Amino acid sequence: LAVFTAQAQAQAYPTRSITMIVPFAAGGPTDVISRIVTGHMAQTLGQTIIIENVVGAGGTTATTRASKAANDGYTLITGHMGTHAASVPLYPKLAYHPEKDFEPVGLLAGTPILILARKDFPPKDLKEFITYVKANESKVNAAHAGVGSVSNVSCELLNSILGVKPIGVPFNGTGPAMNALVGGQVDYMCDQIVNAVPQINGGTIKAYAVATAERNPSLPDVPTTTEAGLPAFQAQAWNAIFAPKGTPADVVAKLNAAIVKALEDEGVRKRLLDLGSVIPAAADRTPAALGTLVKNEVAKWTPVLKPVN
Ligand code: MLT
């Protein structure tokens, strides 16, 4: 009977609204990407998807909560390169493991990293930025979204390439960090492109370079790090949906199909592309492909990042 009940439940799923935990503040990249894709998924699934922003500890507070949620498909999380990979080596006491405590559901978007600064930060290009930050390392500060966040990990990578240790200024997400950059309260930041495109195009911040091999079509005037003289700095993050471990396979399959349908929708694609995201190729959209990505990313970051506690 229990087996039949579980099967019937999975067939009927979803019969009520779904909560999507976003581990950072509203208005940041994780939140924006989640809202774009889940807006379409909700139509496919015939149920509301409620975004719940749960902030703290570079996204690990929310991810811990999601790992312990009921594995019935009604609580999900949009995680990323930080929460589901870099956090492993950074937090030795992490209360979850991205591979053991979650079912991968589907990749939403790739997000190139940009080196950004407040509008009136003196350096006018990346070469000047490098010289300036090296000369003023005890005075300059870099905003980020908490230890283990993408902005933190990617700027740590940049800072280690430059051999500098600026003052880090943590926020609950790069939504609020971006506000501080626009307001001139912080000097620079490494952020995922979706957060930055509207501000760069609006002229409220500076972009020195995009850390990918090619320029991004949404920012044709922003040089790559290679063009700007720092080829060693290459960084692209990713955002994806995860369910607590043990969520039934047919529920995961339904959610994945809804993600795939969203990623094929012209309106969704346009919104993601206009914000500079990279839409995953068809082969990268399966739960198994996301599982492999997480495994590879944990293996990639583990030897690079040092524990914080
Ligand atoms: C990050 O740095 O991890 C993200 O930008 C967080 C966010 O979505 O605000």
Side-chain angles (χ1 to χ4, degrees):
L1 182 65
V3 172
F4 284 127
T5 310
Q7 276 174 358
Q9 273 168 0
Q11 269 159 23
Y13 172 87
T15 57
R16 57 186 166 89
S17 62
I18 297 167
T19 297
M20 180 65 68
I21 297 177
V22 165
F24 295 98
T30 324
D31 182 74
V32 169
I33 291 171
S34 295
R35 285 177 200 271
I36 293 173
V37 180
T38 61
H40 192 278
M41 288 172 71
Q43 290 170 33
T44 305
L45 296 166
Q47 292 290 344
T48 312
I49 302 181
I50 301 159
I51 303 278
E52 193 185 338
N53 299 87
V54 179
V55 302
T60 60
T61 303
T63 313
T64 300
R65 188 195 290 188
S67 73
K68 297 181 195 321
N71 53 10
D72 55 8
Y74 291 97
T75 306
L76 309 170
I77 183 164
T78 303
H80 69 5
M81 186 201 91
T83 58
H84 283 74
S87 58
V88 174
L90 285 170
Y91 292 93
K93 293 183 191 136
L94 198 63
Y96 64 88
H97 193 285
E99 290 167 75
K100 296 186 197 111
D101 295 317
F102 288 94
E103 302 292 348
V105 178
L107 191 59
L108 305 183
T111 47
I113 302 296
L114 289 148
I115 306 171
L116 308 166
R118 62 180 160 84
K119 197 178 159 188
D120 54 359
F121 198 48
K124 69 175 186 319
D125 58 23
L126 189 62
K127 283 209 172 104
E128 284 190 15
F129 169 83
I130 295 168
T131 309
Y132 187 90
V133 172
K134 284 184 175 172
N136 296 281
E137 80 168 292
S138 59
K139 281 186 248 155
V140 294
N141 60 53
H144 61 80
V147 171
S149 63
V150 166
S151 43
N152 170 242
V153 170
S154 45
C155 247
E156 284 293 316
L157 196 63
L158 172 67
N159 296 336
S160 75
I161 292 168
L162 302 185
V164 296
K165 282 195 196 308
I167 303 153
V169 185
F171 291 82
N172 280 334
T174 51
M178 180 62 80
N179 291 341
L181 197 68
V182 170
Q185 290 122 23
V186 290
D187 294 324
Y188 76 101
M189 175 158 81
C190 302
D191 200 9
Q192 295 172 76
I193 195 162
V194 293
N195 214 23
V197 168
Q199 300 298 349
I200 297 166
N201 289 337
T204 58
I205 58 168
K206 271 184 194 173
Y208 291 125
V210 59
T212 46
E214 307 285 337
R215 287 190 184 204
N216 192 281
S218 70
L219 295 170
D221 298 335
V222 175
T224 65
T225 42
T226 302
E227 290 174 306
L230 193 64
F233 184 55
Q234 298 291 324
Q236 177 166 305
W238 46 269
N239 291 260
I241 294 179
F242 297 86
K245 192 75 184 174
T247 301
D250 26 12
V251 168
V252 170
K254 260 191 190 174
L255 289 165
N256 179 268
I259 294 172
V260 170
K261 200 164 172 196
L263 295 180
E264 281 165 2
D265 177 81
E266 278 313 311
V268 170
R269 293 177 71 85
K270 180 171 179 353
R271 289 176 74 194
L272 289 173
L273 292 171
D274 283 352
L275 293 173
S277 339
V278 178
I279 295 174
D284 299 331
R285 295 178 195 168
T286 63
L290 177 57
T292 304
L293 175 68
V294 170
K295 192 177 158 63
N296 291 342
E297 287 278 281
V298 171
K300 171 182 156 183
W301 289 109
T302 298
V304 175
L305 300 171
K306 302 276 174 296
V308 287
N309 56 8

